[in-house]
Amino acid sequence: MRTAQRAHTRAVGPKPQSKVSRPGASSAVLANVPDLRKNTVYLGDCIDVLRSLPAESVDLVFADPPYNLQLEGQLSRPDQSTVDGVDDDWDKFESFADYDRFTWDWLSAARRVMKPDATLFVIGSYHNIFRVGSTLQDLGFWILNDIVWLKSNPMPNFRGRRFTNAHETLIWASKGPDAKRYTFNYEALKAGNEDCQMRSDWLFPICTGRERLKNGEGHKVHPTQKPEALLARILLSASHPGDVVLDPFFGTGTTGAVAKRLGRSFVGIERDETYATAARARIEGVEPLADEALSAAPAKRSEPRVPFATLIEAGLVEPGTILTDAAGRTRVVVRPDGAVALGAIIGSIHKIGALAQGLPACNGWTFWHVLHEGRLVPIDALRAGFRADQRQARAS
């Protein structure tokens, strides 16, 4: 990842509607791409290729741009061995202004090919992520989250002059504040996280072992190869099977390998032929998961609305039934109209649940429990069963 042609010719502007141009930029590799060729690694400058792709054609972007590390000389360990760090030309820029121009150009080009409700993840370190975030906002993107990738096995600080740099930052953004229908697979993430909401601090090791691509001499093919687990979390969070995932800094193809395994399509852009060749070979060996392993967990927001009164009308909850909290300390009585009574106070399952806890709001579906088949279950379980029965009835 993180290979790109640098731009030197356009001053950065603050307005999202500003036209981006790069006179004199290389355009020899691809003059025009009339259709989006899925599951393809385009060889060329990322900005040139992005400008040639169809507008509003991708569902998700993952970008791992050059970090502009500004390394001065080689890094050495205490035993004087050399650290295999990032000293490639693609990570070198003449100035911060030069890097900012490059960032503006590639983000503008990526924004054009994103569908209206597509989102973008961009990863970086303290060297560049704050500058990238500023440009994102100047271009009109709407930041949804910043996510910290905590490295369980970070490279130590050999000079002992700074804290160990043990994390990188991802910014997740939509195209703008009005893009409300972006994909976020909340229920699936929660189900895989011990039924707890997925947090914005993610713990993964850096890419090592068999996953790390090596050449014939045993050296890393790419110095900044990202772990597949990180890309899997991103794709599972913000895309669906069949979606198109774009990576404009494709490197050795981690995004493509994960996309193929998870039933997504990918579009990769890479200017270095060695990296692109390694990526194609890597992806060719990936076996996609079976369809049944990829079926998405249903999002509750997309399911038909079922009022509590409907459960009473369907005979799943009888008027006069006692509902309690999970501990059985608070009791309410179900009324025929779908309200519940806490003593003399009558209201919805949500309003009375909040009142019972002294809170401003409450999800009554998960707070209130009912005795069902000999055990106490949330009334949400009865609602889920009702929805399942309705789906089966419609299918028959």
Side-chain angles (χ1 to χ4, degrees), residues 4-214:
Q5 187 74 27
R6 300 193 301 278
H8 302 274
T9 56
R10 197 195 62 79
V12 176
K15 297 181 180 180
Q17 64 269 29
S18 299
K19 292 185 178 179
V20 181
S21 60
R22 251 182 356 127
S26 171
S27 58
V29 179
L30 284 175
N32 182 50
V33 180
D35 299 307
L36 185 71
R37 297 201 297 269
K38 299 176 183 178
N39 303 318
T40 299
V41 182
Y42 292 99
L43 184 64
D45 170 71
C46 74
I47 299 170
D48 290 339
V49 176
L50 284 169
R51 289 175 179 168
S52 70
L53 298 180
E56 298 186 353
S57 57
V58 303
D59 301 285
L60 177 66
V61 178
F62 171 76
D64 184 13
Y67 284 10
N68 194 26
L69 297 178
Q70 304 290 317
L71 294 181
E72 298 177 359
Q74 291 185 333
L75 296 177
S76 299
R77 300 182 178 89
D79 63 1
Q80 300 308 306
S81 61
T82 300
V83 177
D84 186 12
V86 181
D87 56 3
D88 304 78
D89 287 342
W90 52 258
D91 196 58
K92 296 174 182 176
F93 293 82
E94 295 177 358
S95 65
F96 286 127
D98 185 43
Y99 185 80
D100 291 344
R101 282 189 288 269
F102 164 73
T103 300
W104 179 278
D105 285 352
W106 79 258
L107 278 173
S108 299
R111 194 171 191 271
R112 187 188 68 84
V113 301
M114 292 170 63
K115 293 179 182 178
D117 294 309
T119 59
L120 172 145
F121 284 84
V122 58
I123 189 170
S125 68
Y126 67 88
H127 303 86
N128 73 320
I129 197 63
F130 304 108
R131 309 188 78 88
V132 172
S134 176
T135 303
L136 275 168
Q137 292 180 315
D138 286 345
L139 281 166
F141 285 91
W142 188 256
I143 295 178
L144 301 170
N145 275 115
D146 67 322
I147 298 161
V148 177
W149 167 29
L150 299 171
K151 302 175 182 179
S152 57
N153 56 341
M155 182 183 295
N157 185 270
F158 295 110
R159 293 176 179 172
R161 300 290 293 171
R162 300 183 184 183
F163 297 107
T164 297
N165 187 23
H167 77 277
E168 293 183 26
T169 300
L170 297 104
I171 297 175
W172 182 37
S174 63
K175 289 186 73 172
D178 296 328
K180 304 292 188 182
R181 298 180 64 84
Y182 57 85
T183 297
F184 180 54
N185 298 315
Y186 171 83
E187 284 80 12
L189 293 171
K190 185 177 179 180
N193 193 42
E194 302 294 325
D195 283 327
C196 295
Q197 290 184 349
M198 185 64 69
R199 292 161 46 116
S200 61
D201 49 346
W202 298 355
L203 180 66
F204 296 109
I206 61 175
C207 188
T208 58
R210 289 184 298 176
E211 187 181 323
R212 170 67 77 171
L213 270 62
K214 301 287 184 68

